[in-house]
Amino acid sequence: MKWFSLKKREELPTKKAWIIRGAAIVLSILCAGLVILLLGFNPLVTFGEMVKGALGSKIRLTQTMLKAIPLIVTTLGIIIAFKMKFWNIGGEGQIMMGALAASFVALNFPDMPRALLLLCMAIAAVIGGGLWAFIPAFFKAKMGTNETIFTLMLNYLAIKFVTYLQYGPWRDPGSKGFPKVADFSQNAILPNVFGLHVGWIIALVLIAIIYIFMNYTKKGYEISVVGESLDTARYAGMNIKSIIITAMLISGGLCGLTGMIQASAIEKTLTYSLSAGMGFTAIITAWLSRLNALASLFVCVAFAVLLQGGAYIQISMQIPASVADMIQGILLFFVLSSEFFLQYKVNFHFKKAKGVA
Amino acid sequence: MEGFLAAAVIAGTPLLFATVGELLTEKAGNLNLGVEGLMVMGAVIGFIVGYRTGSPILAFLGALAAGSAGSLIFAMLTVSLRVNQVVTGLTLTIFGQGFASFVGSSVMGAVLPYSIKEFFQVIAIPGLSSIPFIGPIFFKQDIFVYFGYLVVIVTATYLYKTKKGLNLRSVGESAASADASGIHVNWYKYIHIIIGGALCALGGAYLSLVTVPVWQENIIAGRGWIAVALVIFASWNPIKALGGAYLFGGLNILGFRLQSVGIHISQYLIDMLPYAATIVIVIISTRKNKKEDMPPADLSNPYFREER
């Protein structure tokens, strides 16, 4: 006789759902604190330092936001693919290809008027990232090819190719032997608005657009239906192939745009390390946002605080950056587990079990 | 040529362990995308234990324990708590990498004691190693490589010749029918996910203990992901996995060989080869329509008895 039983829940009231999620976050912070304690640091001080490092001054706050912007744009891209249950883990590669395309424009037309140049770069980036996502989408739609491995391998291809360019054909002869691509002209760099590059406005506008697209348009609805059940989609007469390809063009396009933002506003050139694991982090933030575009704003900012805080304690307390990675992992395990308690109700019945035995 | 092929076997061995490990996991109906994380955990723990104790056996066991612990987390989340397998696997990879780079920072640049090197040196198998061509390639290797052969033979026998293997395959094909016929589905899933994870970790340990052999953070370099693809390539068959792993081992070292015979292509372009080949393989293997080449039918569906 089992001492507990499970029952699938009906729709859970929102308030209760948030209590469960909140409990998961509190538990994971406690667990992370325990790890920090075991490493010989004071957890309260460490967490305090992390918050201070991420939000404590205007400069640090800016740094945090600089991390949040590309994460939001990438997360939006991943959300669209995941809604369709298309496991796009190729965000890294799509970011790189977007950055590559934008850099191609920036390096070849450095004297174009600023607004026009930036627009062309953005368009090129969306096309670059979109094409890189189109390849696996095409094979998925036509032949049912496994997209997980496909998109992942394309990451390596994109990163290796950019490395090749940086060390080979695109290497700047003026950089005195240092293997780097030439810096962009001033016109190819995103302007600042209120002390932060204009990417923050782009991110906010995109959140609104994607939210509306997914919730209030036919195309967005079709994407969700394909994700829920292929049979339903087929029965309703939807063109599944075209839906998969369109959705992935948007998904990859958004990731590509991230590449342009990072190349233009942060690196001011093309580097092979530009994607910096964002494509993977975005998978997690997308999932934690429960694939909701509005929620992604909060999740991504919270994540950026964690990243920036983690980078700060490395300097201020000599805690290695990998500790922050581990804390991320722990946090995720707890939040993922909490999904279970949202879906199922656990009934304990010790006494009954004894009685039967 | 023989030298190249023998080196391909060595380069393919970490892939072999990881591929067979993931294959067992998938046969139980669970898709674990945390292979990369499990390999790096195995690599770091294997190295640290080997470095501190000087015992190859303990290093080996340490790696097994690291892989079991990592995949136990995966099993708890995906089997008991029914969390999405793709996301859990990715999280395991992120966690594993963070864990490894943290734990490994203490042994950065360390050199393994001689006892380890001695244990993993090349041992020619008398008789077999003198077979022309085949001998020098397959039977003049280190003990880890031989263990790889053993793992393949045991796994294949287990899967296709034993009752338990049959039960396992039925769990992967349809958890509900397996349950109905009295098989303890969750036990099978847990045990094979854990054994699979332990094997993945051994693959990582081979890199840090024998081939490289120092600890570096990017030691796995995507091999875990290639292993996931190799499972598809091998159409869930451990014997085919052996061929696939060595083929990819060959692709991994092709760059150095080409350069040594005077063909100069950018290293970065040659580095793309295994990944490009993986894509080609994934595309080709979708074209299969024989039944025994198909993935386990219940792969990546969480099983909930009360929902039947």
Side-chain angles (χ1 to χ4, degrees):
Chain A
M1 182 74 199
K2 282 173 101 177
W3 51 277
F4 67 91
S5 65
L6 296 174
K7 208 176 122 204
K8 199 144 192 171
R9 283 185 200 268
E10 304 296 316
E11 199 60 40
L12 200 66
T14 327
K15 203 176 144 196
K16 210 168 171 188
W18 282 109
I19 292 176
I20 293 181
R21 270 182 221 135
I25 291 172
V26 170
L27 266 178
S28 61
I29 290 175
L30 286 179
C31 190
L34 198 67
V35 172
I36 294 170
L37 195 67
L38 287 176
L39 297 175
F41 297 96
N42 180 336
L44 288 177
V45 176
T46 312
F47 288 135
E49 284 287 295
M50 282 179 83
V51 173
K52 213 173 85 188
L55 309 167
S57 72
K58 195 160 177 274
I59 298 168
R60 290 180 201 149
L61 192 61
T62 311
Q63 284 301 319
T64 307
M65 288 306 139
L66 287 181
K67 287 197 163 69
I69 292 166
L71 197 53
I72 291 171
V73 180
T74 316
T75 305
L76 292 173
I78 300 295
I79 283 177
I80 291 176
F82 275 30
K83 261 282 180 198
M84 202 169 61
K85 297 224 166 72
F86 185 106
W87 305 112
N88 178 16
I89 46 180
E92 290 285 290
Q94 289 145 21
I95 291 172
M96 289 313 279
M97 290 318 264
L100 173 66
S103 305
F104 180 80
V105 174
L107 295 170
N108 282 292
F109 308 97
D111 300 324
M112 214 189 259
R114 190 175 198 182
L116 186 64
L117 178 60
L118 287 171
L119 187 66
C120 288
M121 283 166 66
I123 293 171
V126 171
I127 294 174
L131 275 181
W132 212 237
F134 169 79
I135 308 169
F138 174 82
F139 281 98
K140 173 85 176 178
K142 289 281 172 204
M143 299 163 52
T145 306
N146 181 315
E147 75 279 10
T148 323
I149 306 297
F150 205 135
T151 47
L152 193 98
M153 291 298 133
L154 286 175
N155 288 343
Y156 289 103
L157 289 189
I159 292 171
K160 297 281 179 200
F161 186 62
V162 171
T163 317
Y164 162 70
L165 290 177
Q166 184 178 337
Y167 281 80
W170 284 26
R171 185 174 182 158
D172 179 15
S175 70
K176 299 189 184 89
F178 191 70
K180 74 182 287 298
V181 179
D183 281 337
F184 289 175
S185 71
Q186 206 49 45
N187 282 355
I189 292 168
L190 284 173
N192 278 7
V193 179
F194 303 122
L196 199 61
H197 73 73
V198 73
W200 69 270
I201 301 179
I202 300 176
L204 288 179
V205 170
L206 283 174
I207 289 176
I209 292 176
I210 299 298
Y211 182 76
I212 293 167
F213 173 73
M214 291 308 288
N215 292 289
Y216 297 105
T217 68
K218 183 162 170 264
K219 269 267 173 265
Y221 178 67
E222 285 179 340
I223 291 174
S224 316
V225 174
V226 169
E228 281 303 320
S229 156
L230 278 178
D231 290 334
T232 312
R234 214 170 284 131
Y235 191 66
M238 293 177 185
N239 184 346
I240 295 174
K241 290 178 183 175
S242 116
I243 294 170
I244 291 180
I245 289 177
T246 319
M248 279 310 288
L249 282 174
I250 303 173
S251 175
L254 285 167
C255 294
L257 190 61
T258 306
M260 179 262 178
I261 293 174
Q262 293 306 88
S264 164
I266 308 293
E267 307 283 347
K268 303 185 168 60
T269 181
L270 178 68
T271 73
Y272 67 85
S273 56
L274 168 146
S275 54
M278 214 134 37
F280 294 115
T281 313
I283 291 170
I284 289 158
T285 45
W287 199 257
L288 293 184
S289 318
R290 313 214 71 199
L291 307 185
N292 177 322
L294 286 185
S296 76
L297 173 64
F298 303 101
V299 173
C300 290
V301 170
F303 235 78
V305 168
L306 192 65
L307 291 174
Q308 176 63 24
Y312 180 76
I313 55 169
Q314 200 181 346
I315 303 160
S316 78
M317 299 176 70
Q318 265 84 49
I319 295 181
S322 43
V323 172
D325 288 348
M326 257 164 47
I327 294 177
Q328 258 185 56
I330 293 169
L331 192 102
L332 284 168
F333 283 136
F334 274 96
V335 177
L336 289 177
S337 314
S338 76
E339 299 285 308
F340 172 78
F341 296 98
L342 295 176
Q343 283 181 25
Y344 300 91
K345 190 167 166 31
V346 185
N347 290 314
F348 295 95
H349 29 66
F350 306 95
K351 280 183 186 157
K352 241 190 252 167
K354 263 184 202 158
V356 172
Chain B
M1 188 62 189
E2 279 167 17
F4 172 71
L5 291 178
V9 168
I10 293 173
T13 296
L15 291 173
L16 179 64
F17 282 107
T19 307
V20 175
E22 177 68 6
L23 189 148
L24 271 178
T25 310
E26 292 191 18
K27 280 285 183 194
N30 282 48
L31 175 71
N32 186 353
L33 293 184
V35 182
E36 183 87 0
L38 291 168
M39 285 181 84
V40 79
M41 286 163 87
V44 76
I45 295 296
F47 188 87
I48 291 179
V49 174
Y51 172 69
R52 299 252 183 261
T53 64
S55 157
I57 305 291
L58 287 180
F60 191 88
L61 293 177
L64 283 178
S68 311
S71 50
L72 176 66
I73 301 179
F74 177 83
M76 283 180 349
L77 262 68
T78 58
V79 179
S80 295
L81 299 182
R82 302 179 187 90
V83 180
N84 180 292
Q85 296 178 5
V86 174
V87 179
T88 310
L90 288 171
T91 307
L92 181 58
T93 291
I94 293 171
F95 173 78
Q97 278 164 345
F99 171 82
S101 63
F102 174 68
V103 183
S105 57
S106 63
V107 288
M108 200 73 94
V111 180
L112 284 173
Y114 181 72
S115 55
I116 304 256
K117 280 182 189 151
E118 192 187 21
F119 188 79
F120 292 123
Q121 71 188 353
V122 171
I123 304 167
I125 295 187
L128 288 174
S129 61
S130 45
I131 305 172
F133 196 64
I134 299 211
I137 299 172
F138 292 105
F139 299 108
K140 259 186 197 161
Q141 297 283 11
D142 59 71
I143 196 162
F144 230 122
V145 174
Y146 299 139
F147 187 66
Y149 305 156
L150 186 71
V151 164
V152 169
I153 295 167
V154 169
T155 310
T157 319
Y158 173 69
L159 281 177
Y160 300 112
K161 302 280 179 222
T162 67
K163 178 85 196 314
K164 288 230 157 49
L166 181 68
N167 287 350
L168 171 66
R169 285 186 290 146
S170 71
V171 167
E173 290 299 330
S174 165
S177 339
D179 190 11
S181 62
I183 297 168
H184 203 313
V185 170
N186 283 4
W187 263 117
Y188 269 85
K189 281 180 181 279
Y190 262 92
I191 288 172
H192 293 92
I193 289 171
I194 290 172
I195 296 175
L199 285 176
C200 294
L202 272 192
Y206 184 65
L207 285 169
S208 66
L209 288 172
V210 186
T211 33
V212 176
V214 284
W215 165 248
Q216 52 195 48
E217 274 181 29
N218 59 349
I219 191 165
I220 310 296
R223 287 185 181 84
W225 298 108
I226 291 181
V228 178
L230 276 173
V231 175
I232 304 174
F233 172 65
S235 44
W236 292 267
N237 179 326
I239 307 282
K240 289 185 192 166
L242 186 87
Y246 294 157
L247 177 69
F248 270 71
L251 282 178
N252 251 327
I253 53 169
L254 191 63
F256 300 110
R257 294 286 155 162
L258 286 180
Q259 264 165 0
S260 63
V261 293
I263 302 172
H264 287 287
I265 309 171
S266 164
Q267 181 61 41
Y268 305 106
L269 292 183
I270 293 172
D271 282 350
M272 291 163 81
L273 261 180
Y275 308 110
T278 308
I279 291 176
V280 173
I281 278 164
V282 171
I283 294 173
I284 293 173
S285 49
T286 353
R287 286 234 161 241
K288 287 174 190 160
N289 22 26
K290 273 191 292 177
K291 196 178 170 300
E292 71 253 32
D293 287 347
M294 298 303 272
D298 225 353
L299 187 60
S300 78
N301 296 327
Y303 177 59
F304 183 44
R305 176 188 263 181
E306 283 83 341
E307 222 171 51
R308 239 172 14 196

